[in-house]
Amino acid sequence: MVRPGPRTTQPVRETSHPSARDVDLDGLAKALRATIRGEVGFDAGSRAAYATDASNFRQVPLGVVTPRDADDVVAVHALAREFGAPITLRGGGTSLAGQATNAAVIIDTSRHLNRLVSLDPQARTAWVEPGLVNAHLRSAAEQHGLTFGPDPATYDRCTVGGNIGNDSCGAHSVAWGTTSSNVERLEVLLYDGTRLTVGPTDDLAALGGAHGRVGAIYRGLAGLVDRYGAAISSGFPQIPRRVSGYNLPALLTGHVAAALVGSEGTCATVLKAEVRLRPSPPFRHLVVLGFPDVFAAADIVPELLSLGLLALEGIDGTLVGDLRSSGVPESELGLLPAGESFLLAELPGDTAAEAEHRAQVVASAAGVPYAMFAEPAQQRRVWRLREIALAASSHAPGQPAKWEGWEDSAVAPDKLGGYLRDLRALQEQYGYGGSPFYGHFGDGCVHTRIPFDFATDAGVLAYQRFLDDAGDLVVSYGGSLSGEHGDGQQRAHLLEKMYGPELLTAFREFKALWDPDGRMNPGKLVDPVLVYGPSDNLRVGPSYQPLPVLTTFAFADDHGDFSEAVGRCVGVGKCRVTQSPFGEKQGNQVMCPSFQVLGEEQHSTRGRARLLFEMLDGGVVTDGWRSTEVHDALDMCLSCKGCKSDCPVGVDMATYKAEFLSHHYKGRLRPVAAYSMGLIGKTARLGRRFPRLANAFVRLPLAKRLAGVAPQRTAPPFAVEGFRAWFDQRPRVNAGQPRVVLLADTFTESFHVESGIATCEVLEQAGYEVVLPSRSVCCGRPLFDYGFLDEAKRTFLRTLRTLAPEIAAGTPVVVPDPSCCAAFRDELVGLLPDDVQARRLSRQTFTLAEFLDQYGEDWQPPQLDATVLLQTHCHEHAVLDAGAQLRVLARTGATVESSGAGCCGLAGSWGFERDKYDTSMAIGEQRLFPAVRARAAGTVVLADGFSCRTQIADGTGVQALHLAQLLRRG
């Protein structure tokens, strides 16, 4: 029987903390710019990009600062004191309880304050700056056989400072605990300017003998232990995952640094941290156990915990269904064994045999269907299903959006089964059925996303009542409101339910010792003036009325609603993944190459989505489609489309950019590059008529200047003989054989004719009769880059009319360039979703590799004694079948190495533009150019994309080949 605590339901309201009012923002911004070396952003664009984190809440900051070093942080605090401004710390911005958003000066440490200061393998410790990415620390430690224990699902972009702020955990907390168990010392800065290093101590009272502010803090901590020691000993749940409130039990053992872990930036700013490193097992085995339901999976957890686990994670059948409907391929879901819900158990070993034996013991003990994985690559595929759970369950197609709110409650592992049954009953009582359960079952911590109705006042009141009842429920189980993500403003109002009034008073006194003026992240967790409630500052509450817009793209997956499309972004920040400087590979992520170089939030997919959201909201970005802030952020988007596949919720920033630009420039002139390169389909036709004259002109510096092209770029020469002219001169080949339409894009027709010729000859060698469209047609790809959507739609309609007989006949269409092929696969149906011919052409269009892989069963490929360095085109990665190239090359016997480069950095015309050149080349220098330069002698560089081949030539001097050229060589 659950005994309800005090009701805490509050009315929906917009509110701001008193400490944020009456701050001279212009004066503060001017003083900051004159004082610090880092960036200062008090403009609408910077404030809009940081107005939300990964939570349900939105608060527009006073301004944003990205300090260069600790001295900058000290200066920011000094000026904040002078102007009376509150401060909020932010790392990766992936917090789920609202603690990283506030009406305050946001200090983002992730851009510059991100060094690994030192690592001592013998002592198994490291000193780090707060903005260091968790995965980067772990990759550095792995070089010494060590690791950093906490590894949240956002490990590849969250920061160690954020881990400290939230007392983050992750899958391996079963073995290595939470962040508070892995912190030795912290160098911290207080709002009043006090700077000190805290750690474990045997005698708090003795340290209280120091002079000044430091002594007063230690005397206060000693007094707090004296007054509340008994309540702390008895009042905190003795469970593995207890993150709610301040970590006062650490004071009982004298560990002041651990007591500050989980304080969510409400007490002090971390300048540097000494963290503990753990031995990393040389071998790991993963066993996935299948159960009839999630409750049976939870019931067996206590039995498995004694078997030496590194991790024990749960996934229920609802989540698997969400993953499937979100587009996770069956090849990935097929890795799971028979069952409706699953436990993922990871076992360590000093040898592969030992790890396998331990995994077999777990499988035998469970006595259910299982699948076992020894290869790290296979294990990563399985773990990915767990890591993308939050995003996949947020926007599952055909279902209402699901939100955080009761994201990470925790109980003792032996009570997990009963708790989940009661929590499910409570969800169904409120009409929240279909909410998935997943999470850290080995520690009794469960995640869930719930379809709260934030659009109506009644829905928000129901949400508040549910939180009250859920709080009563978890407290009745002796559990914690939060087992990983903290309280922020999502659960802070429930802390008295969990701890009672005496410990809540202790929390307030602890806060006051460090931050007596209440200026550190005010309103979050504990505050003497105002603690925000769960209905305050809702991002999409009842008052949210986005600007209604009429779009050219259909946005069919978002019910034709541009605001819904933009709202896909839930803030998990996968777009912020960057390459580790310590040797860790990024994997196959393409998304957000500009962020990887620039490191600015507004140049991430998330930042751009937030700016578009604010544009539609109209509160901060006030000039709608004419917004310069949104334009400037989108201008640095390469339209690589990587986010369309890499973003867990399918944010499609290339499409959003094209839509925005079409409105932004409506009735206005565009930049000159939009005409010189966006309309290349038209200008190329003129160049083909007079190729020698055109080539002489484009080589002139004046021509580049007039066209808006970077002077360093080599303009591709017009072919003296275009592809169609070459084709029309040849005799008919393979007459009467199956037909295939070869659609030569503008660049194949006018510039890289050789790739078109090779494609034609390979198709003929495969036994097909190659035909061309009756007249030149175009995919219109460059038009999208500059927002010429009306012209793009007309271009598509002309192409459909021209190809109508072949479309009706089902004739396959092969396009040599992946980018042009992707336009038919993606943009075509995005602009013409109800056109039957458009849908057919989308299905009938292939790259050469896709066509040979699908239709070339009888084709005998040449045998190639060659090593190939493969650069996969971004659009091929995002919307086509990138694996087709690998399968075709495998049939040739070639040895294939991936460049691992993601986007090349050119992106059609983007990298040709004068103001983009430096960033374009910096993207290439990240991974692509070094991979090309480091290849072994004789290795062929293969790149199907015109952009990729051009970028490789400009950056390395190497001439890459199209797949067709390589096959023709054979």
Side-chain angles (χ1 to χ4, degrees):
M1 178 72 177
V2 177
R3 186 176 64 186
R7 299 298 279 185
T8 56
T9 299
Q10 304 167 2
V12 180
R13 59 179 177 170
E14 300 288 338
T15 184
S16 62
H17 197 276
S19 64
R21 300 169 192 161
D22 303 321
V23 177
D24 177 5
L25 296 183
D26 291 339
L28 176 57
K30 183 177 179 181
L32 285 166
R33 293 190 183 100
T35 305
I36 74 167
R37 295 169 53 241
E39 295 79 20
V40 177
F42 277 59
D43 58 287
S46 298
R47 295 168 66 223
Y50 284 81
T52 58
D53 50 10
S55 70
N56 297 329
F57 307 105
R58 169 186 176 270
Q59 288 180 277
V60 180
L62 305 181
V64 180
V65 179
T66 52
R68 288 274 175 181
D69 51 29
D71 290 341
D72 268 3
V73 179
V74 172
V76 173
H77 281 62
L79 288 169
R81 286 196 306 278
E82 179 181 337
F83 284 84
I87 285 173
T88 291
L89 281 301
R90 177 157 163 155
T94 57
S95 296
L96 290 169
Q99 54 266 68
T101 179
N102 212 328
V105 175
I106 303 288
I107 300 178
D108 181 352
T109 61
S110 66
R111 189 175 184 196
H112 303 301
L113 207 63
N114 54 17
R115 293 182 306 137
L116 172 62
V117 179
S118 63
L119 192 155
D120 186 338
Q122 283 70 45
R124 296 178 180 171
T125 58
W127 276 100
V128 305
E129 291 180 332
L132 180 65
V133 172
N134 179 295
H136 297 179
L137 170 59
R138 292 170 62 215
S139 65
E142 286 288 351
Q143 297 179 10
H144 304 281
L146 302 170
T147 191
F148 182 53
D151 58 341
T154 56
Y155 68 92
D156 54 1
R157 63 270 194 197
C158 69
T159 66
V160 178
N163 299 159
I164 293 168
N166 293 345
D167 199 5
S168 301
C169 317
H172 294 89
S173 59
V174 169
W176 297 321
T178 67
T179 300
S180 58
S181 305
N182 292 276
V183 166
E184 290 289 333
R185 289 182 290 172
L186 298 175
E187 182 183 340
V188 298
L189 175 68
L190 308 190
Y191 186 84
D192 64 12
T194 302
R195 191 168 175 174
L196 69 159
T197 298
V198 296
T201 177
D202 294 330
D203 193 342
L204 287 172
L207 292 174
H211 293 293
R213 183 84 167 87
V214 173
I217 289 172
Y218 281 109
R219 288 193 298 274
L221 293 175
L224 193 147
V225 170
D226 289 342
R227 290 190 300 278
Y228 299 106
I232 294 171
S233 296
S234 62
F236 278 72
Q238 301 300 306
I239 58 176
R241 289 289 194 98
R242 189 266 313 144
V243 171
S244 282
Y246 290 124
N247 189 22
L248 299 188
L251 293 178
L252 302 183
T253 61
H255 202 323
V256 180
L260 282 174
V261 174
S263 57
E264 300 181 7
T266 61
C267 295
T269 296
V270 175
L271 298 176
K272 199 165 57 173
E274 185 184 30
V275 298
R276 187 179 306 145
L277 303 176
R278 309 283 186 163
S280 180
F283 296 93
R284 305 183 190 206
H285 231 74
L286 179 64
V287 57
V288 183
L289 308 169
F291 297 87
D293 56 47
V294 70
F295 311 118
D299 289 339
I300 203 172
V301 164
E303 182 180 342
L304 302 180
L305 287 177
S306 62
L307 300 180
L309 303 170
L310 281 179
L312 187 62
E313 299 287 290
I315 296 176
D316 80 351
T318 302
L319 177 61
V320 173
D322 289 346
L323 292 168
R324 179 174 286 111
S325 62
S326 297
V328 175
E330 289 299 327
S331 59
E332 301 295 307
L333 296 174
L335 297 171
L336 302 172
E340 293 297 321
S341 295
F342 307 92
L343 291 178
L344 283 62
E346 186 177 81
L347 286 303
D350 292 329
T351 65
E354 181 184 7
E356 180 180 9
H357 171 71
R358 288 182 170 182
Q360 290 287 358
V361 170
V362 169
S364 298
V368 296
Y370 68 90
M372 202 167 293
F373 304 94
E375 293 298 323
Q378 280 193 317
Q379 293 181 29
R380 286 298 315 145
R381 290 170 64 194
V382 177
W383 276 121
R384 180 178 176 271
L385 298 177
R386 165 64 186 86
E387 289 165 4
I388 65 174
L390 183 154
S393 62
S394 299
H395 288 278
Q399 300 182 32
K402 301 188 186 78
W403 306 89
E404 82 94 14
W406 196 249
E407 234 291 330
D408 60 315
S409 54
V411 297
D414 61 352
K415 297 180 179 179
L416 181 60
Y419 173 64
L420 288 182
R421 290 177 175 90
D422 286 347
L423 181 58
R424 174 67 80 211
L426 182 63
Q427 289 175 336
E428 291 175 351
Q429 175 186 329
Y430 276 85
Y432 298 148
S435 303
F437 288 148
Y438 58 98
H440 314 290
F441 281 22
D443 275 339
C445 180
V446 57
H447 298 316
T448 184
R449 305 284 289 191
I450 298 175
F452 295 121
D453 170 19
F454 290 134
T456 66
D457 289 329
V460 173
L461 288 173
Y463 148 76
Q464 292 176 282
R465 288 195 296 269
F466 173 83
L467 294 182
D468 272 315
D469 290 342
D472 291 334
L473 176 64
V474 76
V475 169
S476 74
Y477 272 87
S480 177
L481 305 169
S482 172
E484 179 167 24
H485 297 305
D487 303 305
Q489 72 174 83
Q490 184 66 67
R491 286 169 289 273
H493 68 297
L494 298 173
L495 283 173
E496 190 170 350
K497 284 181 181 288
M498 179 174 168
Y499 288 109
E502 183 180 11
L503 283 178
L504 198 60
T505 301
F507 289 161
R508 294 190 179 111
E509 291 184 17
F510 181 79
K511 156 85 170 174
L513 285 172
W514 303 97
D515 180 35
D517 295 325
R519 298 302 173 91
M520 296 296 293
N521 212 14
K524 307 300 170 84
L525 190 58
V526 170
D527 192 277
V529 179
L530 168 70
V531 174
Y532 294 120
S535 64
D536 295 330
N537 310 310
L538 285 172
R539 178 160 53 99
V540 290
S543 63
Y544 175 57
Q545 297 294 327
L547 176 73
V549 296
L550 183 65
T551 59
T552 307
F553 277 103
F555 297 104
D557 291 339
D558 298 292
H559 307 100
D561 187 341
F562 188 60
S563 66
E564 186 174 327
V566 169
R568 280 177 173 267
C569 178
V570 294
V572 295
K574 184 68 174 172
C575 48
R576 288 175 51 95
V577 172
T578 56
Q579 195 71 15
S580 169
F582 307 112
E584 178 202 34
K585 296 299 182 184
Q586 186 186 33
N588 65 345
Q589 177 162 310
V590 170
M591 178 167 48
C592 256
S594 51
F595 175 81
Q596 293 169 27
V597 167
L598 300 172
E600 297 179 71
E601 176 69 17
Q602 54 264 50
H603 295 311
S604 68
T605 300
R606 180 177 71 183
R608 293 174 181 127
R610 296 309 196 209
L611 279 160
L612 286 166
F613 174 92
E614 294 294 337
M615 179 194 80
L616 296 174
D617 176 78
V620 183
V621 178
T622 57
D623 45 357
W625 292 117
R626 299 294 199 204
S627 168
T628 56
E629 297 88 1
V630 177
H631 173 273
D632 291 347
L634 291 174
D635 190 46
M636 295 305 290
C637 169
L638 282 75
S639 298
C640 70
K641 301 182 79 69
C643 51
K644 190 173 177 71
S645 60
D646 293 344
C647 174
V649 292
V651 168
D652 184 3
M653 194 53 62
T655 299
Y656 305 170
K657 175 183 178 180
E659 186 69 53
F660 172 83
L661 292 177
S662 73
H663 294 269
H664 185 75
Y665 286 113
K666 192 174 184 65
R668 298 195 295 174
L669 288 175
R670 288 168 164 80
V672 64
Y675 301 103
S676 64
M677 292 182 279
L679 302 179
I680 188 68
K682 294 182 176 180
T683 57
R685 288 199 292 272
L686 180 63
R688 287 200 301 270
R689 294 181 63 186
F690 308 102
R692 291 183 174 85
L693 180 61
N695 288 333
F697 176 72
V698 298
R699 283 193 291 267
L700 296 174
L702 176 61
K704 293 181 182 179
R705 187 160 60 250
L706 291 174
V709 172
Q712 303 94 326
R713 284 292 180 191
T714 302
F718 285 92
V720 174
E721 181 182 53
F723 173 72
R724 181 176 286 270
W726 170 86
F727 185 88
D728 289 343
Q729 294 173 10
R730 11 184 356 254
R732 186 177 179 185
V733 179
N734 294 338
Q737 296 301 310
R739 289 159 57 91
V740 59
V741 176
L742 178 54
L743 197 157
D745 55 272
T746 297
F747 297 98
T748 302
E749 170 63 39
S750 304
F751 302 103
H752 283 201
V753 173
E754 185 61 24
S755 61
I757 294 172
T759 301
C760 178
E761 292 179 346
V762 168
L763 290 170
E764 290 173 343
Q765 189 271 333
Y768 289 88
E769 180 185 8
V770 177
V771 297
L772 303 189
S774 58
R775 62 176 180 174
S776 293
V777 295
C778 184
C779 70
R781 166 60 65 199
L783 298 172
F784 295 99
D785 296 339
Y786 296 98
F788 289 110
L789 295 190
D790 292 337
E791 177 61 25
K793 183 178 284 190
R794 288 192 293 268
T795 298
F796 275 146
L797 291 172
R798 286 194 298 269
T799 297
L800 290 174
R801 287 194 297 269
T802 301
L803 294 177
E806 303 292 356
I807 295 172
T811 308
V813 178
V814 171
V815 184
D817 193 276
S819 185
C820 295
C821 183
F824 289 115
R825 194 75 60 83
D826 187 28
E827 280 86 354
L828 175 61
V829 292
L831 284 179
L832 303 169
D834 300 322
D835 190 308
V836 175
Q837 294 289 79
R839 293 200 299 271
R840 287 177 177 172
L841 179 58
S842 177
R843 293 192 295 266
Q844 289 173 218
T845 304
F846 305 91
T847 63
L848 175 64
E850 288 178 325
F851 179 80
L852 293 175
D853 183 53
Q854 185 167 335
Y855 288 90
E857 297 92 344
D858 298 328
W859 170 59
Q860 296 299 317
Q863 294 305 294
L864 302 175
D865 183 16
T867 299
V868 174
L869 180 68
L870 176 63
Q871 165 63 10
T872 300
H873 192 285
C874 296
H875 293 176
E876 197 165 17
H877 167 88
V879 298
L880 304 174
D881 182 2
Q885 272 190 321
L886 297 173
R887 294 189 292 272
V888 168
L889 288 169
R891 293 170 65 183
T892 71
T895 301
V896 182
E897 301 170 354
S898 171
S899 70
C903 183
C904 72
L906 188 62
S909 59
W910 189 89
F912 273 93
E913 294 180 30
R914 186 182 300 116
D915 60 340
K916 312 294 195 320
Y917 177 80
D918 290 342
T919 304
S920 171
M921 298 307 284
I923 293 169
E925 287 291 357
Q926 279 205 308
R927 289 172 287 165
L928 177 58
F929 296 166
V932 172
R933 296 182 190 120
R935 75 193 191 285
T939 298
V940 176
V941 180
L942 187 64
D944 276 4
F946 171 85
S947 294
C948 300
R949 296 196 298 274
T950 302
Q951 179 80 327
I952 290 168
D954 279 1
T956 68
V958 172
Q959 297 300 316
L961 298 179
H962 189 282
L963 173 64
Q965 293 173 290
L966 179 65
L967 294 175
R968 189 179 59 175
R969 280 189 177 186

